[in-house]
């Protein structure tokens, strides 16, 4: 029996291999008494170095199973920079709560490795393994505050529902393999017509598993409870970077591999996009806890982003990728402000600008950007997605999205109105940390600078 020889070419995988080695080292040095600042800043410096070298490792590995092209590199840079900002936000929280720093840093890095592998995966098995590597680390991170009942409940709920979605995805993979006798995306598309019913069932189950992770309605039920129960810096992490990786991989599979089935999956996504924008925005209106409000906001943004996929062109997909870059800045920034204010009740944000004008200004920038108010980058990327949809003939869908954007202005600007136009109801006790301040400044600068100079985005 002849076994086909597959060219391994580990060169394209060197960034992931290096990050795996570094994450393992961080885990091991927990046995030594090393200062927390050294652990945090060595991780940040390593990730910055990795961001510099990633573009030099374009190529394929394991035949065509792993592809590190321009788009994958772009997505990996978003993941790396997002991980850096998340680590800075997480550092202040862990030091405040006396939680083991090296384990948490290692979990963030292992999750980032799963995301980086996911955006380069070109066949089903490596796609699923990368997906699980990313997810398992996040389940543990959600429950890292182990003596807190809310954190424990969120972790168990996320693990149970995440396991269910993984099982559904695995069923889809099994059906797709049964229909096509391959796991390679590029070969699979040619064989889908052999067993159409089996292939459609598999594709549907596979998509449902992905929709769960990006919290598209009706697969969003986990998001508000998990976002509220998880430590705030972990919420910032799980609300952004997994979506970057999954939407990057998801969009690539749809636009490049399953483009011949565009009518089928685009109709499916149109229904989910409208339902997601409706549920996300309408439920956010009545929330009194700011983390739950941002959770529903995150669901609504998944609906806007899906419009870029529905377009079905490379221009639409590029708009999605750019949107995810800015979404990472503005959403991590918003959750970082919640962590800085050390307050979850929206009522207690009244009059905060009188005590902490700089923090209130940063929160204002993130709320404006999440709404889509110019000159923030949130306006530019939302406009870009809507423009691509209009060009593709989805004007009616853009009208619906704009109406829901107007609805969203109520709950975002309510925070701003409370901070600047209401009298204080309590004296705030914000958390001051150099790491947290750097993270907020980076996010706010990114949102403003890329809003004023959109040439770097479009």
């Amino acid at each position: 029996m002849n076994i086909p020889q597959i060219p391994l070419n580990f060169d394209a995988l060197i960034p992931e291999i290096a990050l795996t080695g570094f994450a393992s080292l961080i885990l091991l040095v927990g046995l030594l008494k090393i200062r927390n600042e050294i652990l945090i800043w060595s991780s940040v410096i390593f990730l910055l170095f990795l961001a510099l070298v990633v573009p030099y490792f374009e190529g394929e590995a394991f035949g065509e199973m792993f592809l590190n092209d321009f788009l994958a590199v772009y997505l990996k840079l978003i993941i790396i920079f997002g991980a850096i900002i998340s680590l800075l936000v997480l550092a202040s929280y862990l030091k405040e709560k006396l939680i083991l720093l090296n384990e948490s840093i290692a979990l963030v890095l292992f999750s980032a490795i799963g995301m980086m592998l996911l955006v380069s995966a070109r066949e089903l098995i490596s796609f699923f393994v990368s997906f699980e590597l990313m997810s398992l680390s996040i389940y543990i991170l959600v429950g890292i505050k182990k003596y807190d009942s809310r954190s424990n409940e969120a972790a168990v709920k996320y693990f149970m529902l995440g396991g269910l979605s993984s099982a559904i995805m695995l069923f889809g993979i099994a059906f797709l393999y049964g229909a096509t006798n391959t796991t390679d995306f590029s070969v699979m598309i040619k064989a889908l017509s052999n067993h159409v019913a089996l292939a459609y069932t598999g594709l549907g189950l596979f998509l449902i598993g992905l929709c769960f992770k990006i919290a598209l309605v009706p697969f969003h039920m986990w998001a508000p409870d998990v976002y509220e129960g998880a430590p705030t810096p972990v919420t910032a992490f799980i609300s952004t970077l997994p979506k970057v990786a999954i939407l990057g991989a998801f969009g690539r599979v749809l636009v490049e591999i399953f483009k011949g089935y565009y009518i089928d999956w685009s109709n499916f996504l149109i229904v989910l996009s409208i339902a997601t924008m409706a549920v996300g925005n309408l439920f956010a209106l009545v929330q009194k806890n700011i983390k739950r409000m941002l959770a529903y906001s995150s669901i609504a943004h998944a609906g806007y982003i899906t419009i870029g996929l529905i377009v079905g062109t490379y221009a639409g997909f590029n708009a999605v990728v750019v949107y995810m870059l800015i979404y990472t800045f503005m959403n991590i920034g918003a959750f970082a402000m919640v962590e800085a204010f050390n307050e979850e009740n929206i009522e207690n944000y009244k009059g905060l600008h009188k005590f902490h004008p700089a923090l209130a200004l940063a929160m204002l920038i993130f709320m404006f950007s999440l709404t889509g108010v110019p000159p923030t980058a949130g306006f530019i990327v939302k406009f870009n997605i809507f423009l691509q949809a209009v060009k593709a003939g989805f004007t009616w869908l853009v009208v619906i999205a704009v109406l829901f954007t107007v609805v969203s202005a109520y709950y975002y600007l309510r925070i701003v109105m409370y901070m600047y136009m209401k009298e204080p109801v309590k004296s705030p006790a914000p958390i001051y940390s150099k790491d947290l301040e750097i993270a907020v400044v980076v996010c706010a600068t990114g949102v403003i600078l890329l809003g004023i100079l959109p040439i770097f985005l479009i």
Side-chain angles (χ1 to χ4, degrees):
M1 180 175 149
N2 292 324
I3 299 175
Q5 297 297 313
I6 299 175
L8 298 180
N9 187 23
F10 284 101
D11 291 354
L13 272 164
I14 285 178
E16 284 81 2
I17 293 171
L19 187 53
T20 304
F22 184 80
S24 305
L25 184 64
I26 287 288
L27 199 58
L28 290 174
V29 297
L31 301 172
L32 309 173
K33 290 183 179 179
I34 295 179
R35 290 177 57 190
N36 290 336
E37 286 75 13
I38 295 176
L39 290 175
I40 283 292
W41 283 101
S42 61
S43 303
V44 169
I45 291 169
F46 181 84
L47 287 172
L48 284 171
F49 173 74
L50 199 65
L52 290 175
V53 301
V54 160
Y56 295 99
F57 290 96
E58 288 191 16
E60 296 176 349
F62 306 108
E64 296 181 351
M65 295 180 185
F66 180 93
L67 178 63
N68 205 25
D69 60 357
F70 174 79
L71 187 56
V73 167
Y74 190 93
L75 289 165
K76 287 177 185 180
L77 290 176
I78 299 176
I79 291 166
I80 292 170
F81 283 117
I84 292 172
I85 300 169
S86 299
L87 281 178
L88 293 174
V89 179
L90 190 62
S92 62
Y93 179 87
L94 297 176
K95 283 187 276 190
E96 175 85 10
K97 305 294 180 185
L98 301 177
I99 297 174
L100 286 174
L101 201 63
N102 69 308
E103 293 179 359
S104 308
I105 294 172
L107 287 169
V108 169
L109 297 180
F110 280 124
S111 184
I113 294 164
M115 296 173 201
M116 291 171 68
L117 291 171
L118 188 62
V119 299
S120 287
R122 301 288 286 176
E123 62 92 40
L124 285 170
I125 301 301
S126 57
F127 188 98
F128 183 76
V129 171
S130 308
F131 186 85
E132 286 303 297
L133 175 60
M134 173 190 75
S135 301
L136 289 172
S137 303
I138 294 174
Y139 298 147
I140 303 170
L141 277 172
V142 171
I144 204 159
K145 198 177 175 185
K146 54 188 175 184
Y147 297 113
D148 183 275
S149 58
R150 285 200 316 167
S151 179
N152 292 342
E153 181 188 343
V156 171
K157 193 174 286 185
Y158 194 34
F159 176 72
M160 297 295 286
L161 292 174
L164 176 65
S165 73
S166 295
I168 292 172
M169 183 191 289
L170 202 53
F171 266 121
I173 290 173
F175 279 120
L176 283 171
Y177 180 74
T180 61
N181 201 30
T182 181
T183 59
D184 189 317
F185 287 141
S186 57
V187 180
M188 181 182 295
I189 190 61
K190 298 170 187 169
L192 281 175
S193 57
N194 296 342
H195 302 279
V196 176
L198 200 58
Y200 270 88
T201 305
L203 184 58
L205 292 173
F206 185 67
L207 292 181
I208 287 172
L210 293 176
C211 290
F212 174 90
K213 283 293 180 189
I214 52 178
L216 289 181
V217 174
F219 313 106
H220 69 291
M221 69 295 287
W222 59 274
D225 291 344
V226 173
Y227 283 21
E228 183 186 3
T232 304
V234 174
T235 307
F237 180 71
I238 64 175
S239 68
T240 50
L241 298 189
K243 289 185 178 178
V244 173
I246 294 169
L247 281 164
F250 189 24
R252 188 156 205 169
V253 168
L254 292 178
V255 174
E256 292 184 1
I257 309 297
F258 293 103
K259 58 186 176 186
Y261 294 80
Y262 170 72
I263 299 296
D264 302 301
W265 59 257
S266 64
N267 287 333
F268 177 67
L269 289 183
I270 286 171
V271 175
L272 295 190
S273 173
I274 295 173
T276 302
M277 288 187 286
V279 170
N281 284 305
L282 295 178
F283 277 75
L285 290 174
V286 296
Q287 300 305 317
K288 295 179 180 176
N289 181 299
I290 194 166
K291 287 174 71 177
R292 287 188 77 85
M293 186 274 277
L294 288 172
Y296 281 105
S297 147
S298 178
I299 293 169
H301 277 274
Y304 300 133
I305 295 166
T306 308
I307 294 175
L309 297 180
I310 291 167
V311 170
T313 62
Y314 279 106
F317 183 48
N318 288 338
V320 169
V321 174
V322 174
Y323 196 109
M324 290 311 305
L325 169 66
I326 299 306
Y327 178 75
T328 300
F329 279 128
M330 58 191 183
N331 219 47
I332 292 181
F335 276 111
M337 294 315 304
V338 175
E339 173 64 14
F341 280 130
N342 196 22
E343 183 58 61
E344 294 185 17
N345 188 336
I346 292 176
E347 290 290 323
N348 292 336
Y349 280 71
K350 290 178 177 175
L352 277 180
H353 85 285
K354 293 183 178 178
F355 301 101
H356 306 285
L359 295 180
L361 177 62
M363 190 62 154
L364 177 144
I365 291 170
F366 297 129
M367 291 299 108
F368 274 13
S369 189
L370 285 166
T371 310
V373 175
T376 62
F379 167 76
I380 300 296
V381 291
K382 196 174 278 186
F383 176 80
N384 190 30
I385 277 200
F386 291 170
L387 180 64
Q388 299 305 327
V390 169
K391 285 181 179 176
F394 289 101
T395 307
W396 62 273
L397 185 57
V398 171
V399 171
I400 293 173
V402 170
L403 290 175
F404 281 122
T405 300
V406 173
V407 172
S408 74
Y410 175 83
Y411 58 83
Y412 289 129
L413 300 186
R414 180 176 54 159
I415 305 291
V416 177
M417 188 265 288
Y418 276 12
M419 289 192 302
Y420 284 90
M421 298 181 184
K422 294 286 185 180
E423 291 301 315
V425 294
K426 65 176 286 191
S427 178
I431 297 171
Y432 284 104
S433 156
K434 187 186 294 180
D435 304 324
L436 190 58
E437 288 172 4
I438 293 172
V440 171
V441 168
V442 169
C443 290
T445 305
V447 165
I448 291 295
L449 196 62
L450 294 174
I452 296 171
L453 301 170
I455 191 170
F456 295 111
L457 292 176
I458 303 174

